[in-house]
Amino acid sequence: MMDALIAGGWLMIPLLGCSLLATVIIIERLWTLRAKRIAPYGLGQEVCSLVARGQVNLYWLEGHSPLGGVLAAGLRNARLGHEQVRARLQEAATAVIHDMERFLSPLGTIAAITPLIGLLGTVVGMIEVFAVIVSADGVGRTAELAGGISRALVTTAAGLTVAIPALMFHRYFQRRVEEITVRMEEQASQVVEFLAHYRGEIGFNDQREGERPGAEARPT
């Protein structure tokens, strides 16, 4: 491993940095972008049931999950009308989506630039090779010729080794964000439609202590 780093020359340093950064981003996004953490199934139906019983604890809902925070933002404006609920849900959902897309841009940038860094190493290596060849005793300087060719090959291979998994995970995370967004929209629409047809009094429990959603409601 060290021999490959040395053979690749100084251009292996930014490639190694990109590799470490991409690894950290991938691990962090794998942990963060879990659908059951962001938009657990059944939460929309549970919220509708709690609204019908007048037992919605907004602080519990906000701390439940990012989707819970989105639904809580809409419920806080439930008495202002259907359109206000949709607007607040959209604003809150936009913030959640922005958070889900965090670090995806740097990961995509790594996937794009590492092959170029590898290509730069190839060019630098070939320049060294041709410089040796055109020199007076170029034929006899096999060590320098081998070093230039080695740098050209190693940096190209290293750049592709970093870029390929970075690109794969970038596309994977984009798809996961889209799937979670669709799940959030489905459950948010379920709550919106329920509120549009609900004719009862909407009571909220705003107590911070005892976050059980079934606690006694206290209208606001």
Side-chain angles (χ1 to χ4, degrees):
M1 181 65 180
M2 287 302 300
D3 292 340
L5 292 175
I6 295 173
W10 64 271
L11 284 171
M12 293 298 292
I13 297 176
L15 287 175
L16 181 60
C18 289
S19 176
L20 293 175
L21 180 58
T23 301
V24 171
I25 292 175
I26 289 170
I27 293 174
E28 190 275 339
R29 288 292 90 184
L30 284 173
W31 175 257
T32 301
L33 294 178
R34 291 172 292 150
K36 64 180 181 180
R37 185 193 74 87
I38 298 175
Y41 275 122
L43 182 60
Q45 182 62 42
E46 183 179 359
V47 169
C48 292
S49 177
L50 292 172
V51 169
R53 299 200 306 266
Q55 298 176 333
V56 180
N57 187 320
L58 294 181
Y59 289 109
W60 166 82
L61 187 58
E62 288 172 339
H64 182 276
S65 61
L67 173 59
V70 172
L71 298 180
L75 289 173
R76 288 189 184 278
N77 294 270
R79 295 187 179 90
L80 300 180
H82 190 67
E83 293 303 320
Q84 284 295 325
V85 171
R86 284 190 176 275
R88 290 297 299 131
L89 285 172
Q90 183 62 44
E91 292 175 4
T94 300
V96 173
I97 294 171
H98 181 270
D99 185 67
M100 288 194 294
E101 292 176 341
R102 183 182 301 173
F103 304 133
L104 294 190
S105 180
L107 186 61
T109 301
I110 291 173
I113 67 172
T114 46
L116 298 179
I117 296 175
L119 179 61
L120 177 61
T122 300
V123 173
V124 171
M126 296 309 296
I127 290 174
E128 292 180 358
V129 170
F130 285 116
V132 172
I133 292 176
V134 299
S135 63
D137 57 342
V139 177
R141 298 164 63 182
T142 56
E144 293 186 31
L145 287 172
I149 296 172
S150 176
R151 178 173 302 176
L153 297 176
V154 169
T155 53
T156 301
L160 293 175
T161 300
V162 177
I164 291 172
L167 180 60
M168 291 174 60
F169 276 103
H170 181 259
R171 297 288 178 84
Y172 170 72
F173 290 140
Q174 284 184 322
R175 180 61 179 172
R176 178 174 286 191
V177 169
E178 292 174 0
E179 291 174 350
I180 296 175
T181 300
V182 170
R183 183 187 293 193
M184 290 175 57
E185 290 175 350
E186 290 174 349
Q187 298 201 57
S189 296
Q190 184 180 21
V191 174
V192 169
E193 292 302 318
F194 175 83
L195 293 176
H197 297 88
Y198 183 66
R199 294 294 181 265
E201 177 71 17
I202 301 179
F204 300 135
N205 181 352
D206 287 338
Q207 294 179 349
R208 292 182 181 272
E209 300 296 331
E211 295 182 339
R212 291 178 58 192
E216 182 180 354
R218 178 164 53 87
T220 58

